[in-house]
Amino acid sequence: MSFTDWFKDIKPVMPVMVIEDINDAEPLAEALISGGVTCLEITLRTPVGLKAIEILAKKFPDAHVGVGTVSKIEEMQRAVDAGAKFAISPGITADLCEKAKSLRLPYAPGIMTPSDILLGKQFGMEFFKFYPADLAGGPKMLKALQGPFPDLKFCPTGGIHYDNAMEYLSLKNVVAVGGSWVCPVELVRNKDWQAIKTLAKKALPNI
Ligand code: 3PG
């Protein structure tokens, strides 16, 4: 399944989750899901990332649990074995694109330039993470990319927050926004699940 087909059913805000304590995985996911989020990107930035994917994929079979910060094909394979239903990378490499294709895994490589996009297109990629969105030119850059790449879709992340999410989501080549602002590390450390649920509710646009 392509990422864009897969993304049709997903609410357009994707929390980028950094889980430091495995005991936080479940209550954090619970808070986000009860706030209306349907898609969870669990990053491999901490040693418990894979374990968290395994736990959450089993516990929340209806949620879309995926893996973020994938930089090696072995990580992609392990995440899929743990139950990840999609994968996201901060950048793009040929071997990651090939691996995602061979696994038939919805995959969004990270891009910042037209050349990155051309590399992805060689592998049939049609959905990209635009990262780091604010530093890479923000909404203006995404608008500029509509000219040469009218059929491609993007999920900007990096510097997205409540105040600018709608500006990105109003662009016709943006199908979702992602970021840590829905589940800030400090709130997770404080186990403030109620605050995270409130942030998730506030983050989801009325569309
Ligand atoms: C990502 O991987 O998408 C970013 O680290 C998220 O960026 P943010 O923390 O600025 O939301």
Side-chain angles (χ1 to χ4, degrees):
M1 189 193 299
S2 77
F3 215 119
T4 24
D5 281 346
W6 175 82
F7 226 98
K8 276 182 196 138
D9 302 331
I10 308 267
K11 294 266 175 66
V13 172
M14 175 137 51
V16 174
M17 296 161 68
V18 179
I19 299 173
E20 295 174 325
D21 176 351
I22 195 65
N23 296 313
D24 292 341
E26 240 180 273
L28 172 58
E30 195 96 55
L32 290 166
I33 291 168
S34 62
V37 162
T38 56
C39 188
L40 306 172
E41 177 191 338
I42 296 145
T43 63
L44 297 182
R45 294 177 201 185
T46 60
V48 299
L50 265 184
K51 187 71 193 159
I53 291 169
E54 196 183 321
I55 291 171
L56 298 181
K58 276 198 195 108
K59 175 82 189 175
F60 302 101
D62 296 334
H64 296 271
V65 173
V67 60
T69 324
V70 176
S71 60
K72 296 187 194 130
I73 56 172
E74 295 79 12
E75 290 173 347
M76 189 182 278
Q77 181 67 57
R78 277 189 226 116
V80 167
D81 294 343
K85 292 183 190 149
F86 66 90
I88 300 187
S89 295
I92 182 164
T93 67
D95 62 345
L96 282 168
C97 292
E98 265 168 359
K99 179 71 178 170
K101 267 183 89 174
S102 76
L103 292 170
R104 302 178 67 79
L105 179 71
Y107 174 55
I111 62 93
M112 215 178 142
T113 67
S115 299
D116 295 340
I117 294 174
L118 289 179
L119 173 61
K121 275 170 68 79
Q122 285 181 3
F123 296 93
M125 298 287 143
E126 48 189 18
F127 183 82
F128 297 91
K129 169 175 167 125
F130 176 56
Y131 177 78
D134 56 345
L135 296 171
K140 272 191 178 169
M141 177 67 164
L142 284 161
K143 264 188 217 154
L145 292 173
Q146 283 170 12
F149 305 113
D151 300 329
L152 301 182
K153 302 288 182 208
F154 299 90
C155 175
T157 79
I160 314 281
H161 46 78
Y162 182 72
D163 295 334
N164 62 5
M166 278 316 290
E167 189 185 354
Y168 282 99
L169 283 168
S170 66
L171 299 171
K172 65 173 191 249
N173 55 355
V174 170
V175 294
V177 292
S180 61
W181 95 99
V182 199
C183 47
V185 165
E186 308 75 54
L187 288 184
V188 177
R189 283 187 190 143
N190 292 337
K191 307 194 188 301
D192 195 343
W193 313 127
Q194 189 53 45
I196 288 174
K197 179 177 170 180
T198 306
L199 277 180
K201 275 191 177 159
K202 194 177 165 201
L204 283 165
N206 298 319
I207 53 174

